[in-house]
Amino acid sequence: MSLRFRQLQAFHAIMETGTVTGAASVLGISQPGISNLLAQLEREARLPLFERNKGRLLPTPEAELLYREVDTVVRGLDHVAQAVTDLQNKHPGQLQIAAPHLLSFGFMPREIARFAESRPNLSVSFQSQYSSKIQEWVISGLFEIGIVEMPILHDTLNYQVFEFETLATFPETSPLADYDVLTPEILENEPFIVMGPEHQTHRRTRDIFQSAGRNWRTQIHTHLSENLLSFVKQGMGVAMIDPFTVTFDDESGYQTRPFRPAVMLDLAIITAKGRPLSTIAQDFLAQLTPSIASYATHSETGAAAS
């Protein structure tokens, strides 16, 4: 088997954009060129990677597994290409940071913009992704700094954990606005909009209701904090939402109250063990740490246990 990078790049672009058209736009080549590269890859790998249904490409389970391996390779070479460009343009360095989606719609753009104010030639590589993937990226060196939701999955990471209190968020006109503090007794049988069952806020909210002997009614499951808030604004129910999403949302349509016992969200800033940070990463970390700590109720520094 002789796989070529261009084939993997085309496959990666299709998985990222969902269409041949989108992949062609990202890579700057024709749609027939993308289709030809995909056909070559399927022949070389001897695997069906997509099902064709009415002009749409639906990834097979084999494609999903391959994507996880290809993702790091493609992004790694993209970083190499960017590094060469930076050297050619004599950029002083590149800030490489990845964060979960909940920080990507307000907090991180603000922090990066603040950092760039005194660095007009700064080159930035910022990616929003799920926490498990971010940990892999930092370990592999694709990103110097990561922010992730707990737990830490690898023993090759240094980390500093921050605890954040989530807020009970509900539609603007809800009678719940009459309360200063919300509890399981008050919210029993209220429809909840929740993250998936493995998410820490899901498990902690469920445990609190169970300990109180109250029924927790989950109605809508989603995977992004922005989605939680959008459903709240549509009057669909109550959600436990992190302070970043609430702080950086400029729209009306909802209110928040403290919830007791508190439902905490744990985030960590991570770096790779044994790999010194660049000067630019050290400078950004010095700005980032107190900034994110200003939203936290507690922090703790450590290294992942073996």
Side-chain angles (χ1 to χ4, degrees):
M1 184 169 57
S2 178
L3 300 180
R4 293 187 291 119
F5 175 69
R6 200 61 165 168
Q7 296 168 356
L8 299 178
Q9 194 178 34
F11 166 73
H12 184 270
I14 294 173
M15 292 292 289
E16 288 279 300
T17 64
T19 64
V20 170
T21 302
S25 177
V26 167
L27 297 180
I29 61 179
S30 67
Q31 293 182 43
I34 293 289
S35 297
N36 185 48
L37 288 168
L38 177 59
Q40 292 173 13
L41 178 60
E42 289 183 313
R43 285 197 303 270
E44 290 285 349
R46 299 179 182 176
L47 292 171
L49 298 177
F50 294 93
E51 295 178 0
R52 280 75 173 174
N53 184 9
K54 297 180 180 179
R56 298 180 58 198
L57 293 178
L58 304 178
T60 63
E62 292 84 356
E64 298 286 356
L65 291 171
L66 181 60
Y67 171 73
R68 296 173 195 171
E69 302 298 328
V70 168
D71 182 60
T72 300
V73 173
V74 172
R75 292 186 189 278
L77 283 175
D78 286 344
H79 275 271
V80 171
Q82 183 62 54
V84 171
T85 300
D86 289 344
L87 289 171
Q88 291 171 338
N89 295 329
K90 294 182 172 57
H91 284 175
Q94 183 184 59
L95 176 62
Q96 299 171 328
I97 182 167
H101 302 295
L102 67 91
L103 295 175
S104 300
F105 297 99
F107 177 78
M108 286 307 304
R110 184 196 69 179
E111 289 300 306
I112 292 170
R114 186 158 70 95
F115 188 70
E117 285 179 356
S118 59
R119 299 168 177 82
N121 294 320
L122 177 68
S123 175
V124 179
S125 177
F126 173 72
Q127 182 70 36
S128 173
Q129 186 53 268
Y130 293 110
S131 294
S132 58
K133 178 60 72 172
I134 292 173
Q135 293 185 43
E136 294 176 9
W137 286 347
V138 172
I139 290 169
S140 67
L142 294 181
F143 292 86
E144 286 196 273
I145 301 170
I147 306 175
V148 299
E149 296 182 13
M150 293 294 284
I152 302 298
L153 303 175
H154 306 275
D155 62 4
T156 53
L157 292 170
N158 293 315
Y159 65 88
Q160 182 171 4
V161 181
F162 301 85
E163 290 184 335
F164 305 90
E165 182 178 329
T166 63
L167 295 169
T169 309
F170 51 87
E172 189 171 36
T173 58
S174 170
L176 295 174
D178 294 338
Y179 296 93
D180 293 328
V181 176
L182 296 175
T183 65
E185 291 74 19
I186 296 171
L187 295 180
E188 184 172 31
N189 293 319
E190 288 282 343
F192 264 75
I193 306 139
V194 299
M195 304 290 265
E198 297 305 315
H199 194 270
Q200 55 183 295
T201 58
H202 184 119
R203 291 184 281 104
R204 290 171 177 176
T205 307
R206 178 198 62 206
D207 292 347
I208 288 171
F209 272 79
Q210 288 179 350
S211 295
R214 301 291 175 167
N215 181 52
W216 186 41
R217 178 187 165 201
T218 60
Q219 181 168 324
I220 299 175
H221 295 72
T222 184
H223 68 294
L224 294 177
S225 54
E226 284 286 318
N227 292 348
L228 295 178
L229 189 55
S230 294
F231 280 118
V232 170
K233 293 176 184 178
Q234 294 301 316
M236 297 298 293
V238 180
M240 303 305 301
I241 299 183
D242 64 90
F244 301 98
T245 299
V246 171
T247 299
F248 289 92
D249 183 84
D250 296 328
E251 298 180 3
S252 59
Y254 67 95
Q255 297 191 54
T256 65
R257 293 290 186 276
F259 180 80
R260 294 292 179 270
V263 176
M264 306 304 291
L265 171 71
D266 300 335
L267 301 178
I269 299 176
I270 61 172
T271 58
K273 285 183 181 179
R275 183 182 298 119
L277 291 178
S278 65
T279 300
I280 202 163
Q282 294 177 42
D283 291 345
F284 184 74
L285 192 59
Q287 172 192 299
L288 175 67
T289 302
S291 185
I292 199 169
S294 68
Y295 293 85
T297 59
H298 179 71
S299 66
E300 178 182 347
T301 301
S306 300

